[in-house]
Amino acid sequence: MELASDPGLDARFAESAHQILADLVRRGAALGWVEPPARRDVAELLGTVVSAVQAGDGSLRAAYVDRRLVGLGYWLRYARPTHRPHADLEKVAVDAAVHGRGVGRALTAALIADARRAGIEVLTLDARGDNSNALHLYRSLGFTEYGRLPDFVAVGERRYDKVFYMLDFRRQG
Ligand SMILES: CC(C)(COP(=O)(O)OP(=O)(O)OC[C@H]1O[C@@H](n2cnc3c(N)ncnc32)[C@H](O)[C@@H]1OP(=O)(O)O)[C@@H](O)C(=O)NCCC(=O)NCCS
């Protein structure tokens, strides 16, 4: 597996990222979408992320196996002026075909290292309460829970907890 820190935003990258994200959402993944995102939505999102990376306000990591995109993740610095020292890990997504092979762990660890290097003070994330694989992964990399909104995430008639995690670099050695 290779990890790229700035894959750029060529059309092929956006297309592959869209395939991974839309397929995961189709399978019920908790990525913030109820319906699979449109190609244009993913391209727009990636455009926003790449602009933030270029401005020093984010990090985007992509994982490749045999030159095929198999996963991506990113964090963005908070826009709110009083939250500027901090960033939010917004999406980590791995192609279902390679789940359980360490890609998600490698991506998340690389994003954490980027945040530390960028001088981020607190890296936050939120996840759906039933996403136990993801929550286990984040805890194993040092994140701790700091809050929970019960039955907040709405998927049709179903409701799930929204769980908030943080990694405070100021409290680490
Ligand atoms: C969560 C996700 C990114 C993990 O990626 P992955 O490449 O499968 O994860 P890894 O192989 O690096 O494994 C990391 C941990 O996840 C868990 N895990 C991953 N796949 C698993 C599987 N098929 N069965 C059981 N546990 C699994 C394990 O706890 C593992 O910990 P370990 O290394 O101690 O065994 C991936 O499952 C995914 O894309 N899910 C859908 C999108 C999503 O929910 N993203 C997170 C939003 S907050």
Side-chain angles (χ1 to χ4, degrees), residues 10-11 18 28 76 85 87 92 98-99 117 123 128 136 140-141 144 153 155 158-160 165:
D10 59 43
H18 171 258
L76 297 175
V92 180
V98 299
H99 277 180
R117 240 187 328 266
L123 185 63
R128 210 168 78 185
H136 170 93
S140 75
L141 289 170
T144 54
V153 181
V155 182
R158 276 165 292 158
R159 297 292 178 269
Y160 302 89
Y165 274 19

Side-chain angles (χ1 to χ4, degrees), residues 19-103:
Q19 271 176 23
I20 292 172
L21 293 167
D23 176 63
L24 287 170
V25 174
R26 228 171 268 123
R27 293 163 179 264
L31 281 164
W33 287 289
V34 174
E35 299 296 334
R39 206 166 291 176
R40 197 187 49 217
D41 296 340
V42 171
E44 253 177 50
L45 173 66
L46 291 174
T48 305
V49 173
V50 168
S51 300
V53 171
Q54 285 164 349
D57 287 338
S59 173
L60 171 65
R61 287 277 180 168
Y64 295 85
V65 171
D66 296 333
R67 308 187 76 186
R68 183 173 71 88
L69 183 73
V70 293
L72 67 151
Y74 66 87
W75 56 256
L76 297 175
R77 195 183 279 277
Y78 279 89
R80 188 185 291 200
T82 53
H83 292 180
R84 289 295 286 165
H86 316 302
D88 194 46
L89 181 60
E90 292 197 357
K91 288 196 199 313
V92 180
V94 174
D95 186 341
V98 299
H99 277 180
R101 294 202 217 156
V103 176

Side-chain angles (χ1 to χ4, degrees), residues 93-159:
V94 174
D95 186 341
V98 299
H99 277 180
R101 294 202 217 156
V103 176
R105 180 175 294 282
L107 280 170
T108 311
L111 289 164
I112 291 171
D114 290 346
R116 190 192 289 275
R117 240 187 328 266
I120 294 297
E121 293 183 11
V122 181
L123 185 63
T124 60
L125 65 84
D126 60 77
R128 210 168 78 185
D130 67 330
N131 198 350
S132 45
N133 284 348
L135 291 171
H136 170 93
L137 168 64
Y138 298 139
R139 280 195 306 273
S140 75
L141 289 170
F143 281 90
T144 54
E145 181 175 329
Y146 69 91
R148 183 179 280 258
L149 286 173
D151 298 329
F152 190 79
V153 181
V155 182
E157 293 305 305
R158 276 165 292 158
R159 297 292 178 269

